[in-house]
Each structure stands twice: as structure tokens, then as C-alpha cells.
């Protein structure tokens, strides 16, 4: 029987509505893709067990609504997050320009101990489409300035999806060694109630 410690990590996908956050999550966890679009209401999460660099890891992936209507939920959803994946659509310049706002909101409401070293990854999704508006160079230059790793993905074709999440896990495990990640919040609300996939809806 293995005596290796199992790590539990929470990863969150942030970005504008329609950039493919749900598709990325489902491709990573379930190896499935659908053309049917259903906007996420509030938040949804799935879990997957995997081994990264001989570490046993249970990854809880949170998919969040990319609309202003649900941004007030951020203070609850973002806390205790170990890695943040900022997602844009390579065919939408607006979704790329919105990344800085999503990053700032996560830092403000998620309260990581050291935002400068917190694991942020940037994903340019929908590379299977031809009508690109965001060049790889533009995105890579922006990520270099902000010291974040950049990937281009296609949830539809499963392009780089596995690599992105494994890189996020690896970066998180390296960053977490012996560190206290979060500022204490006495009123913190814990939403993770179990391993099975579930959806969490807001009636606001």
C-alpha cells in the first residue's frame, strides 16, 4: 500500500462568459466536449485524481460564471484557491483585455498571501477557430510582463488541456512547499462539501 501523501488542490477558471471555461473543465475531467452551450449559473465544480511528479493529487476544478451578475460571489468562491487559470478566447480581443480585471478581482477577493508569486496561468482558448483576434505574441508579451505562464488551448480538440492543468498543479505544489498561502478571514465560508461533482446555483 502506498504511503505517499495525497494533496488536495483547488483550481479556479476565470474569464468572460463564452470563452470556454466549462468546456476546458469537462475536457480535463471527463475527456468530453459538446457544441451545446449552457452558461454557467453561479459556479460548478468537478474533481479528478492524478499523479504529477510522483505526487498523488485530487484536483477540484471550479468553473465560474463570467458575467457581472455573479461577480459578487467572488469573495466566497475565490478563497482557498490554490491556482487561478485566466481564460480568454483567441477570437475575442475583448475577452483578452478583460484578463487584468479578472486578475485584480481575484487578488482583491481571494486574498492570496503573496499575489506576486501566486500561481496564475493564462489560457488562450478556441485555437481551432480561424478568426483570431489575439496574436500569440501579444498574449505572451502581456504574460511575460505579469510573470505568468501562457498556453494556447482548444477544448474542442483537447489541445494542451491536459498539459495546462498538470502545469498548474506542478506550479502550485512547488509554490506551496512550507508556505502559508492566505490571509486569515474569520468569516470565511467553505463551499467544498465533498468530492462528487455538483453545481452550486445562485438565485439572485
Amino acid at each position: 500500500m502506498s504511503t505517499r501523501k495525497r494533496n488536495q488542490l483547488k483550481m479556479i477558471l476565470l474569464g468572460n462568459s463564452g470563452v470556454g471555461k466549462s468546456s476546458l473543465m469537462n475536457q480535463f475531467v471527463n475527456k468530453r466536449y459538446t457544441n451545446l452551450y449552457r452558461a454557467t449559473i453561479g459556479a460548478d465544480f468537478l474533481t479528478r485524481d492524478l499523479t504529477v511528479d510522483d505526487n498523488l493529487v485530487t484536483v477540484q476544478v471550479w468553473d465560474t460564471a463570467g458575467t457581472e451578475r455573479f461577480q459578487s460571489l467572488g469573495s466566497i468562491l475565490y478563497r482557498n484557491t490554490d491556482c487561478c487559470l485566466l481564460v480568454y478566447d483567441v477570437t475575442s480581443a475583448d475577452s483578452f483585455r478583460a484578463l487584468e480585471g479578472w486578475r485584480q478581482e481575484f487578488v482583491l477577493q481571494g486574498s492570496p498571501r503573496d499575489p506576486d508569486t501566486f500561481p496564475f496561468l493564462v489560457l488562450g482558448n478556441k485555437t481551432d477557430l480561424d478568426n483570431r483576434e489575439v496574436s500569440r505574441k501579444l498574449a505572451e508579451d502581456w504574460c511575460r510582463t505579469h510573470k505568468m505562464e501562457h498556453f494556447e488551448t482548444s477544448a474542442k480538440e483537447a489541445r494542451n488541456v491536459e498539459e495546462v492543468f498538470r502545469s498548474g498543479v506542478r506550479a502550485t505544489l512547488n509554490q506551496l512547499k512550507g508556505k502559508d498561502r492566505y490571509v486569515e478571514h474569520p468569516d470565511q465560508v467553505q463551499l467544498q462539501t465533498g468530492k462528487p461533482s455538483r453545481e452550486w446555483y445562485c438565485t439572485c
Side-chain angles (χ1 to χ4, degrees):
M1 181 179 296
S2 174
T3 59
R4 289 180 297 173
K5 178 181 177 181
R6 180 178 295 276
N7 298 275
Q8 295 189 22
L9 302 180
K10 177 182 176 183
M11 306 177 76
I12 193 166
L13 293 155
L14 296 181
N16 283 5
S17 180
V19 297
K21 299 185 299 295
S22 299
S23 295
L24 287 164
M25 179 179 70
N26 278 287
Q27 182 62 257
F28 171 64
V29 176
N30 298 318
K31 307 298 182 185
R32 290 201 302 264
Y33 174 83
T34 176
N35 286 314
L36 298 177
Y37 175 71
R38 179 180 67 85
T40 302
I41 302 174
D44 183 10
F45 74 82
L46 296 173
T47 60
R48 177 180 160 188
D49 294 333
L50 70 160
T51 301
V52 176
D53 297 337
D54 205 36
N55 294 288
L56 302 175
V57 183
T58 296
V59 183
Q60 189 178 81
V61 184
W62 281 77
D63 168 29
T64 59
T67 60
E68 291 183 359
R69 179 183 177 191
F70 297 106
Q71 287 184 15
S72 60
L73 302 175
S75 60
I76 297 174
L77 297 177
Y78 298 170
R79 296 203 185 140
N80 288 338
T81 296
D82 298 301
C83 180
C84 181
L85 308 181
L86 299 171
V87 185
Y88 69 96
D89 174 354
V90 298
T91 71
S92 169
D94 286 343
S95 70
F96 176 73
R97 287 190 289 265
L99 292 184
E100 179 59 25
W102 287 108
R103 188 191 71 84
Q104 291 180 1
E105 180 181 325
F106 176 84
V107 170
L108 177 65
Q109 300 197 53
S111 301
R113 177 70 67 179
D114 187 353
D116 291 333
T117 61
F118 185 87
F120 283 100
L121 277 70
V122 176
L123 284 61
N125 194 38
K126 301 189 181 182
T127 57
D128 52 284
L129 301 179
D130 295 327
N131 52 327
R132 177 188 283 263
E133 293 185 1
V134 183
S135 70
R136 180 190 289 268
K137 183 180 186 304
L138 175 65
E140 288 181 345
D141 287 347
W142 186 83
C143 290
R144 191 176 300 111
T145 299
H146 291 79
K147 299 179 180 178
M148 292 186 287
E149 195 170 3
H150 175 259
F151 296 85
E152 288 199 340
T153 62
S154 168
K156 181 178 181 179
E157 298 178 350
R159 185 183 304 160
N160 276 344
V161 175
E162 184 76 14
E163 291 81 356
V164 164
F165 283 94
R166 286 185 174 271
S167 292
V169 169
R170 187 173 292 112
T172 302
L173 291 175
N174 289 335
Q175 199 266 346
L176 294 184
K177 292 177 180 177
K179 292 187 178 181
D180 184 11
R181 294 164 288 170
Y182 294 93
V183 177
E184 292 297 325
H185 291 277
D187 59 343
Q188 188 165 299
V189 178
Q190 186 73 17
L191 288 180
Q192 300 97 308
T193 57
K195 181 179 176 182
S197 166
R198 66 170 60 201
E199 292 184 356
W200 185 69
Y201 294 99
C202 173
T203 57
C204 54

